[in-house]
Amino acid sequence: MSFLLKPRPRRRDLALDYNTAKQFEVDVTLDPATAGPEVILSQDLKEASWGRPGLHRPDTPARFDTDPCLLAKEGFTSGRHYWELEATGRFWAVGVALESVQRKGRVLFKPSAHIWGLQRCEELCVALTAPSSASVPLGNGGIGVYLDYEGGEVSFYAMGSRQRVFSFPVGSFGGQRVFPYFCVLLSTIRLSAKGAVADGVGS
């Protein structure tokens, strides 16, 4: 008896190096309509900080109502995309989230939470929503986030070393729109403009 093994369809190369991922850089801005309580936004919508905003934001279905979280305006349903930011402070989280991510009540980080991100708490950085939280050697400096929608991958880069530090093999986003995701508890995040020099993120 003999078996004919069909070759598997070849997936595009995952875990791109920093320079290749950066070729897919896009400009990302923050979405005020999603900003939770205690999120202060800059006028150019490139920076979010923890604090008490000077205006009341009406509760809508799009808004996080409990935690200081928010999404970007730009959502993706195809293609490869990369953006950079600087995060400073004691506690923050960055990554991507499905459009259907829970926005009411506490945001719970677990494999079914529809969020794939990195979280920093004091000196410890871990990958969220993995089967078990994995420590990530992020170091100091900026962060690069890479999304391959068809490839089902989310990767993170330490811009100080220009090295990939973690990848989520998501597999599929189920046809949903995927948005850049941020949490700014006790912290500040600043998105870089497209084409900014890596060592000067946030300047």
Side-chain angles (χ1 to χ4, degrees):
M1 185 181 297
S2 62
F3 297 90
L4 178 62
L5 298 178
K6 294 183 178 180
R8 290 183 177 182
R10 185 176 179 180
R11 295 181 65 188
R12 64 179 65 179
D13 292 335
L14 300 182
L16 299 180
D17 62 70
Y18 168 80
N19 289 327
T20 305
K22 192 172 173 64
Q23 294 177 14
F24 299 96
E25 189 170 11
V26 294
D27 201 33
V28 171
T29 53
L30 302 170
D31 186 357
T34 65
E38 300 183 318
V39 175
I40 300 174
L41 295 172
S42 63
Q43 189 171 4
D44 65 358
L45 299 179
K46 288 289 187 178
E47 183 174 291
S49 300
W50 185 67
R52 295 187 179 276
L55 52 85
H56 172 70
R57 297 190 180 112
D59 187 24
T60 64
R63 191 177 306 284
F64 291 90
D65 71 346
T66 303
D67 292 327
C69 303
L70 69 163
L71 304 177
K73 287 184 176 181
E74 297 78 15
F76 309 109
T77 56
S78 64
R80 295 188 275 184
H81 312 275
Y82 172 86
W83 56 96
E84 297 178 342
L85 61 109
E86 185 173 0
T88 57
R90 295 172 54 193
F91 181 99
W92 49 257
V94 300
V96 304
L98 295 183
E99 189 168 20
S100 61
V101 66
Q102 177 181 326
R103 307 187 194 205
K104 306 305 178 184
R106 289 289 177 191
V107 176
L108 301 176
F109 296 114
K110 54 185 179 179
S112 59
H114 297 173
I115 298 171
W116 296 270
L118 300 186
Q119 174 183 283
R120 185 149 204 160
C121 183
E122 301 294 350
E123 298 303 314
L124 178 64
C125 183
V126 298
L128 297 169
T129 70
S132 59
S133 293
S135 178
V136 177
L138 184 62
N140 296 319
I143 305 160
V145 185
Y146 170 75
L147 165 69
D148 180 347
Y149 193 96
E150 284 82 5
E153 180 203 0
V154 180
S155 290
F156 298 87
Y157 298 80
M159 291 169 53
S161 63
R162 301 194 178 190
Q163 297 294 317
R164 183 182 61 87
V165 292
F166 192 83
S167 290
F168 285 101
V170 179
S172 172
F173 297 104
Q176 288 197 50
R177 192 176 299 273
V178 176
F179 290 85
Y181 165 86
F182 315 91
C183 179
V184 293
L185 179 64
L186 303 174
S187 65
T188 296
I189 64 98
R190 175 77 190 178
L191 289 160
S192 74
K194 180 181 177 181
V197 178
D199 293 337
V201 173
S203 62

